[in-house]
């Protein structure tokens, strides 16, 4: 594992000294919380307290109970559905609904998006509290609402028109709009469940800056993240949950990242990016080997529609068996669009050619793509990756049903069951059994189901879009090992990741995309965060961005 320097001391909060076991009374306190779901005890006897003006991080592996804890605080799991006590300002409270919690000054942003897709960005930000005008304040003051929204968005560095319907936003932008809304409500306590999972560098920096600013104004914050460097840059204290129990609460300045990881997983993790077999044992990188590439892309230009500006411009690259080809770039650079396009799920090909295993691969449908050996792991698992109300097994085999269909047209249920069982246990999905509904799984375990679904199709090329988003260190390691196993078996992987250490740790080569073009290509020896970022933001990219026109889709 990389060495983490111990964190720099925090800018002192002017009003509350959190370092010396502050005497400030907790603003919010949880005592003896126990929450049971059928077959799972999500929280057992959890203790937690939040002081005024502190940022308190919750850390723990997938399924540790972090989201469940904040759902109790948010009134989503109402009073009476759990044991234990919640106290605000030293008084016992009973939240029966989200409204009750909001009334007590808590604003909670959950892992599930809570925006209304059909409304505009401004309408979502001011939902239920739109500025009014006219006699008796009966009319919504649209002008004022749009003006206020524009100010808030600009303050967050979001280049979004307030009138944009939320359904047109990508996942990262939605996340930011939710945060803007919650922050603008001026709540006493802001609760953020993995707010940066869908954000890239610049947005994360802006968000962290805002949270620090809010802290100086006295707002307290509960912050859940699997990104420990972020936690250490931000939090005053850290509470670690493991298997539903609160293990410890530490002052950030008195601990280290490895120590927190150890509390989280109950063991030490020594190698965060296990060296890949191909790079360790074999001196010739896959891209230099004589065999023809598995996937070849030439001068690919693609747009979302006939008259839309292209989201990919003149892209050419090869992917070889056993290779992990990383794609980096800023949000909106076209990485997700590229994967979706290769998979036949997005856009229209303006020009260029794609060859798969030596055969032409003209504009496919996702069904063709799967049949030809392509698998896609989407970045937006809830929207595109899973059927949430259905069981784990149902989701795992969803893309492989053709394989389990017998000659008479019926499903070979025992074979399907066995295959599901194989992936359920080899991916170590945490649930009572494969019949559990996906909706009840923690975020990381849902991600494993999406991975399992892709792998079951037996792909030769796996397209991974942010495959470790929202999953814990232990599970990340499992995904990394899985990638190594795939490439050792001769499969090829395209990896999109916004986390540069991950991208550099896993890729054989990295292509940086900037405004739909390749802004730079790097081999392992050339990897460095500075070079990659420079390529992502290069001058050429900036020039291209200017003539890109309005953003159209998902990223
Ligand atoms: N609505 C539900 N129905 C059934 N089980 C649930 C439900 N919500 C949570 N659980 C279970 O409770 C446990 C804790 O889940 P929780 O979502 O709180 O974990 P988490 O720490 O937030 O994980 P992650 O980091 O993956 O988001 C898990 O085993 C999960 O499957
Ligand atoms: Mg969670």
């Amino acid at each position: 594992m990389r060495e983490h320097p111990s964190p720099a001391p925090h800018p002192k909060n002017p009003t509350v000294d959190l370092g010396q076991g502050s005497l400030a009374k907790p603003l919010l306190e949880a005592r003896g919380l126990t929450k049971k779901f059928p077959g799972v005890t999500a929280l057992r006897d959890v203790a937690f307290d939040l002081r005024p003006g502190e940022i308190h991080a919750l850390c723990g592996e997938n399924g540790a109970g972090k989201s469940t804890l904040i759902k109790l605080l948010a009134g989503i799991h109402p009073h009476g559905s759990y044991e234990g006590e919640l106290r605000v300002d030293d008084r016992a409270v009973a939240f029966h609904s989200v409204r009750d919690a909001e009334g007590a000054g808590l604003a909670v942003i959950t892992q599930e998006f809570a925006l209304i897709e059909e409304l505009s960005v401004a309408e979502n930000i001011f939902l239920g509290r739109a500025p009014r005008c006219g006699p008796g304040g009966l009319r919504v003051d649209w002008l004022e609402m749009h003006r206020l929204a524009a100010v808030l968005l600009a303050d967050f560095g979001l280049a979004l028109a307030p009138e944009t319907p939320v359904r047109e936003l990508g996942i990262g932008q939605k996340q930011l709009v939710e945060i803007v809304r919650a922050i603008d409500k001026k709540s006493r306590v802001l609760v953020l469940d993995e707010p940066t999972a869908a954000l890239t560098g610049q947005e994360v920096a802006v968000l962290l800056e805002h949270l620090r600013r809010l802290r100086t104004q006295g707002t307290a914050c509960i912050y859940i993240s699997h990104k420990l460097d972020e936690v250490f840059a931000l939090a005053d204290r850290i509470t670690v949950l493991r298997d539903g129990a609160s293990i410890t609460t530490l002052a950030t300045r008195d601990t280290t990242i490895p120590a927190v990881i150890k509390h989280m997983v109950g063991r030490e993790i020594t190698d965060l990016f296990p060296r890949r077999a191909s790079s360790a044992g074999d001196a010739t990188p896959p891209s230099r080997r004589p065999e023809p590439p598995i996937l070849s892309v030439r001068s690919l230009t693609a747009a979302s529609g006939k008259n839309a500006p292209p989201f990919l411009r003149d892209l050419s690259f090869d992917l070889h068996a056993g290779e992990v080809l990383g794609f980096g770039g800023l949000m909106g650079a076209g990485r997700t669009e590229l994967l979706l396009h290769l998979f036949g799920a997005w856009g229209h090909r303006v020009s260029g050619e794609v060859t798969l295993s030596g055969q032409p691969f003209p504009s496919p449908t996702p069904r063709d793509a799967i049949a030809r050996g392509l698998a896609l792991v989407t970045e937006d698992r809830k929207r595109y990756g899973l059927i949430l109300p259905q069981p784990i097994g149902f989701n795992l085999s969803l893309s492989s049903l053709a394989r389990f269909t017998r000659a008479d047209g019926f499903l070979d249920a025992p074979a399907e069951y066995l295959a599901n069982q194989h992936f359920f246990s080899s991916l170590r999905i945490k649930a009572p059994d494969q019949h559990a509904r996906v909706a009840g799984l923690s975020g990381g375990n849902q991600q494993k189901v999406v991975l399992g679904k892709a792998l079951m199709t037996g792909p030769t090329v796996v397209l991974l879009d942010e495959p470790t988003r929202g999953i814990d260190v232990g599970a990340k390691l499992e995904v990394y090992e899985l990638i190594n196993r795939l490439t050792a078996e001769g499969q090829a992987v395209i990896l999109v990741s916004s986390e540069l250490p991950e991208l550099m740790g896993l890729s054989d080569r990295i292509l940086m995309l900037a405004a739909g073009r390749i802004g730079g290509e790097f081999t392992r020896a050339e990897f460095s965060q500075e070079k990659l970022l420079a390529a992502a933001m290069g001058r050429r990219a900036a020039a291209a961005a200017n003539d890109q026109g309005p953003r159209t889709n998902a990223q």
Side-chain angles (χ1 to χ4, degrees), residues 193-443:
D193 195 350
E194 293 188 45
T196 60
L199 306 185
T200 47
Q202 184 55 28
E203 287 88 1
V204 173
V206 172
L207 175 67
L208 298 195
E209 217 23 69
H210 271 268
L211 295 179
R212 290 195 187 101
R213 203 200 299 170
L214 287 170
R215 168 168 57 191
T216 63
Q217 295 161 4
T219 308
C221 175
I222 302 176
Y223 191 84
I224 298 181
S225 177
H226 288 291
K227 300 180 186 167
L228 292 178
D229 38 1
E230 221 171 80
V231 165
F232 271 73
L234 189 67
D236 300 294
R237 291 193 298 158
I238 300 170
T239 289
V240 178
L241 295 182
R242 186 165 81 221
D243 290 332
S246 41
I247 298 293
T248 180
T249 297
L250 306 156
T252 313
R253 64 173 68 157
D254 298 335
T255 187
T256 60
I257 289 183
V260 169
I261 291 179
K262 202 172 160 191
H263 284 298
M264 282 166 55
V265 300
R267 67 192 156 93
E268 231 154 323
I269 290 188
T270 48
D271 189 1
L272 208 47
F273 299 106
R275 237 153 90 85
R276 306 187 48 240
S278 65
S279 353
D282 185 342
T284 319
S287 57
R288 301 268 167 77
R289 290 179 203 151
E291 298 87 37
I294 287 194
L295 179 76
S296 189
V297 172
R298 285 292 167 272
S299 309
L300 178 64
T301 296
S304 56
K306 290 262 187 279
N307 297 316
F311 55 81
L312 299 176
R313 294 156 186 256
D314 197 21
L315 224 58
S316 297
F317 63 88
D318 286 334
L319 174 72
H320 295 260
E323 183 176 36
V324 178
L325 177 59
F327 275 91
L330 305 179
M331 199 192 291
R335 298 166 302 164
T336 291
E337 285 88 344
L338 168 64
L339 298 198
L340 288 176
H341 185 73
L342 289 175
F343 194 65
W346 177 250
H348 138 88
R349 190 166 301 170
V350 178
S351 58
E353 275 166 27
V354 179
T355 323
L356 183 65
S357 308
Q359 301 294 317
F361 190 52
S363 303
T365 63
R367 189 189 293 264
D368 304 334
I370 293 171
R372 293 278 303 269
L374 234 57
L376 173 72
V377 172
T378 162
E379 67 166 342
D380 192 347
R381 56 181 170 253
K382 294 213 161 107
R383 190 158 162 198
Y384 299 121
L386 295 167
I387 300 184
L388 291 168
Q390 293 292 342
I392 296 169
F394 178 97
N395 276 280
L396 281 172
S397 57
L398 204 55
S399 301
S400 309
L401 290 178
R403 246 180 55 206
F404 302 116
T405 307
R406 301 185 311 205
D408 62 7
F410 285 95
L411 208 60
D412 184 350
E416 183 204 359
Y417 180 85
L418 282 180
N420 286 341
Q421 201 53 36
H422 169 74
F423 282 96
F424 178 73
S425 42
S426 68
L427 291 168
R428 289 195 264 162
I429 295 169
K430 198 176 160 198
D433 54 43
Q434 60 153 293
H435 304 294
R437 292 186 329 143
V438 168
L441 298 183
S442 74

Side-chain angles (χ1 to χ4, degrees), residues 62-63 65-68 71 111-112 193-194 224 226 442-444 470:
N62 296 130
K66 305 176 297 292
S67 297
T68 305
K71 282 180 185 165
Q111 268 171 308
E112 294 83 28
D193 195 350
E194 293 188 45
I224 298 181
H226 288 291
S442 74

